Amino acid sequence: MPEQIIFDGVCFSYGRKRVLNQLSFSVEAGERICLFGPSGCGKSTVLRLICGLEKPNAGKITVNAKQVRPVFQEDRLLPFLSVAENVAMFSDGEDPTEILTELGLAEVLNEPPKKLSGGMARRAALARSLAGNGDIYVLDEPFNGLDDANVERAIEQIDKRTAGKTVICVLHSLDDAKRLGCRIIHIE
């Protein structure tokens, strides 16, 4: 399979604080990757670089995709839209009801995001990413704030909706990474 994401000697700094130093790795199309490392090592920065939200100070990044579908650490739901409208906005015409129901959110479809608990908002953000058709799914701590039953629901939906697609994520649990079938990339 061709490489879909390539980091070649990537360096990145926030001001004087260097976060990434000569980071190199590649991800094949359809592969699932999980970034692991200590807090502050640059895992979320790698995801932001893949999404094009940051530019490296040095090195080269290649992302071969038409559509990158992110879930950020912050849920970033639009407060003036209902939960269903937030998901529909990015669903490529797909009805958001099915995925929201499968993630246990059927009862809040028409609610504004401010009425959601933290775990519900997290699942709504995940639904927004998974609805529609992306080439690469970038998931930054998608299970943060979820109980075991909802982590299981989320894993089922990721498996179902990203089959054959590239997934790169940041997780805090090696068990969850294994359940998703991820190859581990350690960042120091």
Side-chain angles (χ1 to χ4, degrees):
M1 287 213 161
E3 294 172 330
Q4 194 163 31
I5 301 170
I6 303 167
F7 273 55
D8 185 12
V10 172
C11 298
F12 184 85
S13 299
Y14 289 106
R16 292 185 175 185
K17 182 179 186 213
R18 177 156 284 188
V19 180
L20 301 173
N21 188 25
Q22 297 292 317
L23 179 63
S24 296
F25 68 88
S26 63
V27 180
E28 292 183 4
E31 191 174 12
R32 290 183 176 186
I33 300 295
C34 185
L35 304 176
F36 267 94
S39 182
C41 72
K43 300 179 297 289
S44 294
T45 300
V46 169
L47 299 184
R48 290 179 60 79
L49 287 161
I50 291 168
C51 291
L53 299 173
E54 303 286 357
K55 300 290 180 206
N57 301 115
K60 183 178 179 190
I61 299 171
T62 304
V63 177
N64 296 313
K66 292 179 183 171
Q67 195 173 87
V68 178
R69 306 294 298 249
V71 172
F72 299 104
Q73 282 185 19
E74 311 83 26
D75 300 317
R76 298 185 183 181
L77 299 170
L78 298 173
F80 51 86
L81 297 176
S82 70
V83 172
E85 290 168 333
N86 263 281
V87 175
M89 196 170 171
F90 298 96
S91 69
D92 302 330
E94 177 186 328
D95 182 355
T97 305
E98 180 184 341
I99 188 166
L100 286 166
T101 300
E102 289 175 351
L103 287 170
L105 297 170
E107 72 278 6
V108 296
L109 290 172
N110 298 310
E111 297 292 337
K114 69 181 179 184
K115 294 218 174 170
L116 303 181
S117 69
M120 289 175 148
R122 196 77 195 129
R123 287 180 279 149
L126 181 61
R128 182 182 54 202
S129 175
L130 296 176
N133 189 23
D135 300 305
I136 298 175
Y137 293 84
V138 174
L139 311 176
D140 198 351
E141 300 181 25
F143 309 142
N144 195 25
L146 301 185
D147 60 21
D148 290 343
N150 283 311
V151 168
E152 190 60 40
R153 280 180 167 164
I155 288 173
E156 286 174 12
Q157 288 306 303
I158 292 168
D159 279 343
K160 174 182 174 182
R161 292 174 175 271
T162 67
K165 304 291 180 87
T166 302
V167 177
I168 185 161
C169 59
V170 172
L171 299 171
H172 291 295
S173 165
L174 278 172
D175 288 339
D176 289 343
K178 288 176 186 171
R179 290 168 64 201
L180 282 172
C182 293
R183 173 171 63 98
I184 307 299
I185 294 177
H186 290 278
I187 299 179
E188 298 176 14

